[in-house]
Amino acid sequence: GAPRARPAASSAPFSSSASSGDGGASRAPDTSLFVPVPLKPGLGGAAEEDVGAELTRPLDKGEVLKNLNKFYKRKEIQRLGAENGLDARLFHQAFISFRKYIMESSSVSADLHIILNDICCGFVLVGHVDDLFPFFLRHAKQIFPMLDCMDDLRKISDLRLPPNWYPDARAIQRKIIFHAGPTNSGKTYHAIQRFLSAKSGVYCGPLKLLAHEIFQKSNDANVPCDLVTGEERVFANEDARQAPHVACTIEMCSTNTPYEVAVIDEIQMIRDPARGWAWTRALLGLCAEEIHVCGEPAAIDLVTELMYTTGEEVEVRNYKRLTPLTVLDYALESLDNLRPGDCIVCFSKNDIYSVSRQIEARGLECAVIYGSLPPGTKLEQAKKFNDPDDPCKILVATDAIGMGLNLCIRRIIFNSIVKPTVNEKGEKEIDTITTSQALQIAGRAGRFGSSFKQGEVTTMHREDLVQLKEILSEAVPPVKAAGLHPTPEQIEMFAYHLPDATLSNLIDIFVSLSQVDGMYFVCNIDDFKFLADMIQHIPLNLRSRYVFCTAPLNRKEPFVCTTLLKFARQFSRNEPLTFDWLCRHTKWPLAAPKNIKELVHLEAVHDVFDLYLWLSYRFMDMFPDAVLVRDIQKKLDDIIQIGVCNITKLIRASQSAPGTTEVVSEDFPLSRTQKDARVVSDHHGAASTEALSIAVEAAGLKRVKNLRSSRLGSRQEDLKSYGRGSLANRLLREGLLTQEMLRQLESEWQDQHRNGRYGFGSKRDDQHSSKETRKKRK
């Protein structure tokens, strides 16, 4: 066969000598991930005579079948199979394939034919069923090629020495300074001052907004600084020469470029289940004389331990909050009690809509900020709220304000203290906010340098306040592990050994075989696998396929996912994705939104433009019109800003339009305000996966409210139980319902509802039944 691929120099840690806490013992592979390669039976033909039949006689297939089954049942054969990597599952699959191959082949190899003939003729001294084992094993290795290269696969997926992946960083002695402190303590400010005074530097932040802020600050201070994000490159120099300083999103930092100073912001995100690998890569791999790390004190021990493995010491500089923060002894209880400078924090987009409309009904103007808004719109809303001459003095926001925006907030008001989260298995649950999240959000009040000299924090509802005080008084649990992610080079080496496996299957096998020590974990790869499965049928080379699967998009946005599929299909045909093509696909130009559904669609179109720009920096020839797309994206940003400024009018229009209600974008509506148990119609697909869920979730709102008055331990257990999601989402997760079935159910329900088949009584009965079902859950 072809020579085996040898690991590149940068993959030095993938050696059998790598040690870990388990003493280097190899973990058993998850063989359920091994997909057999189909083998076609030998059909013979005029050009291929059956040599075995000429030497002996034609085989009696009935006798062959009887002896093959006898072979399968022999304990000695099963033991031999196990010694060669065939556990019970693989042994069974290999035998079924082996038997089918022999029984359906018009001719087999001469040596196998002779053995089968001897066994079938009962020549005890000559042939025995055990003699079939070498042929069986050869067949097994053909359909399970990983059996022949398991040692190589284990070496490639050995993730126990990540520091060795970055030889350039290991070649220098770096100085690590940890700036530790709470929000609004000046920790990042001090790190940035050192960044600005250095001859060269790199800033690595979690958000485009943060990278853009440092980019602006640097150039305003006459320190030429470039901006690098996944979708954008902006040069400080007009001739596009690279500046000595660069501000980037953390995934985009270079581990090959030498710098005097590097700043890694929000280091506690090294524990993030999806993105933690980017902080690990920056911390271990940046080639800078000084690494300034900023974040929560909870990450100090892990960073110190990681740097111990590289032989680098960590200097810790602790900071205290610059302005006092007070937890009030009373809840807001009513929006009538709002004051200028208040920010109401919601964990559901529907709550944003509901609260902002109620505020406007009281004659007050409010700014709105949530995660899926474009960065430009967020900045404009922040500017509007911060402007002392603007009548807008109230902010309604999600936890998107926790980082990346400078806001003049007097008081943070938690509308709810439960939010959707993703657990370590990638499952979505609803749970009480963590101490880290609560401190990050509450800390936005009373920002140093703003017009408010101290911050205040409270809740909307009285029964939440006691628990919020408990949460804020608890210590933040230490960060215990850093994220890792397979690199393209590792996956390419896997693919060399397993050329017939799908990319999704390669990733699964990689994670199954990977070994990490106690300081690391492998990041959640569900989004990657989702995209890999979605584009698997499109003919792409492995490197291009990998790039498409790492595209930063929200898989809950059907329009964006569909667009990626179309991008990949056209890319595979070697047809450039032009500006005209994109305009036709998105129906550009677009008008200002008339209702919430149209606003949500515009946000999805903005994400599509982001996706185009992201791909344009990786495949410039195939996505050639980045400049034109960026121009229309700015225009779209302005259109979305108009919609957000008129958001309460859009809400009214959405609720008054026949056959529509609010758009449900999350799995868990958390509002205290009772909602209609009506089904959302969304023909554009902006929120189709949640369309059915509101009918069964409305009954659960009261349950969440009652949970808040119970003790913390039982409350968290109940919330986790409730967090299994709506009936629709639960059925989807358990594989009993598909997205297509969900859409069909929605359509049928609406048709029957319009025809008057469902009266209000039956609807109430459905809600009551849903509520009873929830009570029976654990």
Side-chain angles (χ1 to χ4, degrees):
R4 294 269 165 78
R6 294 184 62 188
S10 61
S11 303
F14 307 135
S15 63
S16 55
S17 62
S19 62
S20 73
D22 62 6
S26 297
R27 58 191 281 192
D30 180 358
T31 55
S32 66
L33 301 172
F34 293 1
V35 179
V37 176
L39 285 184
K40 292 182 180 179
L43 301 178
E48 182 186 338
E49 295 296 330
D50 190 345
V51 177
E54 284 187 7
L55 294 174
T56 55
R57 64 177 183 172
L59 293 172
D60 180 343
K61 288 295 177 86
E63 282 297 315
V64 168
L65 178 61
K66 196 183 300 181
N67 282 284
L68 285 174
N69 290 336
K70 192 186 297 183
F71 168 83
Y72 173 71
K73 292 173 183 175
R74 283 183 60 77
K75 297 293 182 187
E76 293 85 347
I77 296 299
Q78 293 172 14
R79 180 180 55 77
L80 277 171
E83 289 175 4
N84 285 273
L86 293 168
D87 64 8
R89 178 189 283 107
L90 294 186
F91 182 84
H92 177 74
Q93 285 184 283
F95 173 74
I96 296 298
S97 175
F98 182 58
R99 183 176 65 187
K100 181 180 179 183
Y101 178 81
I102 290 176
M103 297 304 295
E104 294 183 4
S105 294
S106 59
S107 63
V108 295
S109 63
D111 50 355
L112 176 56
H113 185 110
I114 292 169
I115 292 291
L116 286 169
N117 180 71
D118 290 347
I119 295 169
C120 292
C121 290
F123 298 150
V124 179
L125 297 177
V126 180
H128 189 277
V129 289
D130 289 4
D131 296 339
L132 288 173
F133 184 77
F135 301 95
F136 166 72
L137 185 61
R138 182 175 66 189
H139 183 91
K141 289 182 177 181
Q142 283 180 295
I143 67 166
F144 294 116
M146 60 284 294
L147 293 174
D148 232 1
C149 55
M150 194 60 69
D151 288 343
D152 292 324
L153 297 180
R154 281 202 173 95
K155 288 175 185 177
I156 297 167
S157 58
D158 190 338
L159 306 180
R160 288 176 293 185
L161 288 175
N164 291 3
W165 305 352
Y166 308 102
D168 292 346
R170 300 291 76 78
I172 61 174
Q173 188 65 27
R174 307 178 306 168
K175 182 179 180 182
I176 315 295
I177 298 109
F178 195 126
H179 301 264
T183 304
N184 202 11
S185 61
K187 57 185 183 297
T188 307
Y189 169 83
H190 286 90
I192 294 301
Q193 291 305 112
R194 179 68 188 97
F195 167 81
L196 294 174
S197 66
K199 293 175 184 175
S200 62
V202 57
Y203 167 84
C204 308
L207 300 173
K208 285 184 276 189
L209 281 172
L210 286 169
H212 198 273
E213 180 186 345
I214 302 304
F215 165 74
Q216 292 278 24
K217 277 184 179 176
S218 298
N219 288 296
D220 289 347
N222 293 319
V223 177
C225 180
D226 295 338
L227 174 68
V228 177
T229 70
E231 301 78 22
E232 190 174 19
R233 308 284 190 284
V234 181
F235 293 100
N237 299 311
E238 292 181 2
D239 58 0
R241 276 185 301 108
Q242 192 171 323
H245 288 71
V246 61
C248 63
T249 45
I250 193 156
E251 286 87 353
M252 300 304 296
C253 70
S254 167
T255 57
N256 300 318
T257 309
Y259 300 102
E260 183 183 347
V261 168
V263 176
I264 305 174
D265 209 355
E266 305 294 351
I267 186 62
Q268 70 277 359
M269 289 189 71
I270 201 168
R271 69 181 164 208
D272 187 85
R275 296 179 67 199
W277 62 269
W279 276 263
T280 306
R281 174 176 170 271
L283 182 63
L284 296 177
L286 282 172
C287 293
E289 297 167 31
E290 291 179 26
I291 308 278
H292 291 257
V293 176
C294 308
E296 294 177 1
I300 292 175
D301 288 347
L302 178 64
V303 170
T304 303
E305 202 173 345
L306 292 174
M307 294 301 94
Y308 178 79
T309 66
T310 66
E312 294 161 333
E313 294 183 5
V314 178
E315 175 190 337
V316 178
R317 298 178 187 174
N318 289 296
Y319 300 81
K320 292 184 178 179
R321 186 178 164 87
L322 297 172
T323 56
L325 179 66
T326 305
V327 183
L328 300 178
D329 291 325
Y330 54 88
L332 189 71
E333 299 198 75
S334 169
L335 296 176
D336 294 329
N337 298 325
L338 286 171
R339 303 197 307 255
D342 279 350
C343 171
I344 302 175
V345 176
C346 307
F347 297 112
S348 158
K349 201 188 283 188
N350 284 335
D351 286 358
I352 292 275
Y353 300 151
S354 173
V355 170
S356 58
R357 185 172 180 188
Q358 291 176 60
I359 290 171
E360 193 206 47
R362 288 163 168 77
L364 301 172
E365 195 175 335
C366 66
V368 173
I369 296 174
Y370 51 86
S372 60
L373 285 177
T377 304
K378 289 178 187 170
L379 288 170
E380 282 301 313
Q381 289 291 297
K383 183 179 176 183
K384 178 183 172 78
F385 173 69
N386 289 340
D387 186 352
D389 299 323
D390 196 292
C392 173
K393 293 289 179 279
I394 308 295
L395 175 62
V396 183
T398 63
D399 51 348
I401 63 161
M403 59 178 72
L405 292 167
N406 292 319
L407 297 160
C408 297
I409 298 171
R410 178 204 300 269
R411 180 171 59 173
I412 289 283
I413 301 153
F414 285 90
N415 188 57
S416 165
I417 53 171
V418 292
K419 68 168 290 186
T421 57
V422 178
N423 65 19
E424 63 276 2
K425 296 178 182 177
E427 300 167 339
K428 200 165 186 182
E429 296 180 339
I430 189 171
D431 208 350
T432 310
I433 58 174
T434 65
T435 300
S436 177
Q437 291 166 341
L439 288 170
Q440 186 86 21
I441 297 165
R444 308 306 287 176
R447 184 174 66 89
F448 181 75
S450 73
S451 53
F452 303 116
K453 302 304 177 191
Q454 67 175 34
E456 298 173 341
V457 58
T458 187
T459 58
M460 177 66 76
H461 306 282
R462 192 185 310 167
E463 58 265 40
D464 286 341
L465 188 55
V466 173
Q467 189 179 358
L468 179 65
K469 287 184 175 180
E470 287 178 11
I471 292 169
L472 291 171
S473 65
E474 291 172 0
V476 178
V479 180
K480 293 183 178 177
L484 296 173
H485 193 280
T487 66
E489 292 76 22
Q490 291 163 0
I491 299 305
E492 278 186 337
M493 284 193 281
F494 248 58
Y496 173 82
H497 291 298
L498 307 175
D500 296 304
T502 67
L503 180 55
S504 178
N505 190 226
L506 283 174
I507 289 283
D508 273 337
I509 296 172
F510 185 97
V511 173
S512 158
L513 293 175
S514 64
Q515 297 180 74
V516 296
D517 69 20
M519 289 187 289
Y520 300 97
F521 67 93
V522 179
C523 283
N524 189 303
I525 52 170
D526 286 350
D527 287 347
F528 184 99
K529 285 176 55 189
F530 172 82
L531 296 180
D533 289 334
M534 188 175 76
I535 65 171
Q536 179 55 42
H537 65 287
I538 297 174
L540 295 168
N541 65 54
L542 184 71
R543 183 60 74 116
S544 298
R545 189 181 298 279
Y546 185 95
V547 171
F548 271 94
C549 293
T550 55
L553 58 79
N554 181 356
R555 61 176 171 167
K556 286 175 63 180
E557 293 181 349
F559 182 69
V560 185
C561 293
T562 302
T563 303
L564 179 74
L565 193 61
K566 291 182 177 180
F567 282 170
R569 189 175 290 122
Q570 187 139 335
F571 181 95
S572 72
R573 295 195 292 256
N574 207 30
E575 298 173 6
L577 282 299
T578 63
F579 176 73
D580 290 340
W581 184 96
L582 190 63
C583 289
R584 285 196 304 273
H585 174 67
T586 57
K587 296 181 172 59
W588 180 265
L590 295 162
K594 299 183 184 67
N595 53 48
I596 288 295
K597 191 167 95 173
E598 290 184 7
L599 177 62
V600 170
H601 180 66
L602 291 181
E603 292 168 7
V605 174
H606 193 280
D607 287 345
V608 165
F609 291 166
D610 259 350
L611 178 61
Y612 184 99
L613 294 171
W614 189 88
L615 288 165
S616 74
Y617 284 109
R618 289 145 183 88
F619 306 111
M620 293 182 185
D621 293 342
M622 298 300 291
F623 296 83
D625 294 330
V627 174
L628 295 172
V629 173
R630 182 162 288 108
D631 286 342
I632 62 170
Q633 189 182 44
K634 288 174 183 172
K635 293 174 183 174
L636 178 59
D637 206 331
D638 293 338
I639 295 170
I640 292 173
Q641 285 176 38
I642 294 169
V644 174
C645 288
N646 298 314
I647 195 162
T648 51
K649 294 177 184 175
L650 303 187
I651 296 165
R652 280 200 302 273
S654 298
Q655 293 177 337
S656 62
T660 62
T661 74
E662 59 196 326
V663 174
V664 180
S665 301
E666 292 81 24
D667 290 330
F668 312 99
L670 307 177
S671 173
R672 298 295 186 115
T673 308
Q674 188 71 19
K675 295 181 173 73
D676 266 346
R678 288 174 289 174
V679 173
V680 178
S681 172
D682 187 0
H683 300 294
H684 290 292
S688 61
T689 56
E690 270 67 47
L692 197 64
S693 64
I694 191 171
V696 289
E697 285 174 339
L701 295 173
K702 186 177 178 183
R703 174 177 172 81
V704 176
K705 184 184 288 188
N706 293 338
L707 285 168
R708 291 194 176 93
S709 59
S710 65
R711 298 181 58 153
L712 178 62
S714 62
R715 180 189 291 118
Q716 288 180 331
E717 286 302 311
D718 285 344
L719 283 171
K720 286 179 181 176
S721 175
Y722 176 74
R724 301 292 186 264
S726 69
L727 176 61
N729 288 316
R730 189 155 51 84
L731 292 173
L732 282 168
R733 275 199 300 272
E734 292 172 0
L736 301 175
L737 187 66
T738 66
Q739 297 286 0
E740 187 55 43
M741 291 164 65
L742 183 60
R743 283 191 284 273
Q744 188 176 343
L745 280 170
E746 176 195 356
S747 176
E748 289 176 4
W749 192 94
Q750 289 173 330
D751 290 341
Q752 290 169 327
H753 184 67
R754 280 195 292 270
N755 294 333
R757 294 190 195 175
Y758 293 143
F760 289 112
S762 65
K763 187 162 145 185
R764 281 196 298 271
D765 290 344
D766 287 346
Q767 290 181 340
H768 178 73
S769 172
S770 175
K771 192 184 296 185
E772 289 299 312
T773 301
R774 284 214 175 103
K775 286 180 181 176
K776 290 177 184 176
R777 287 193 204 161
K778 180 181 173 183

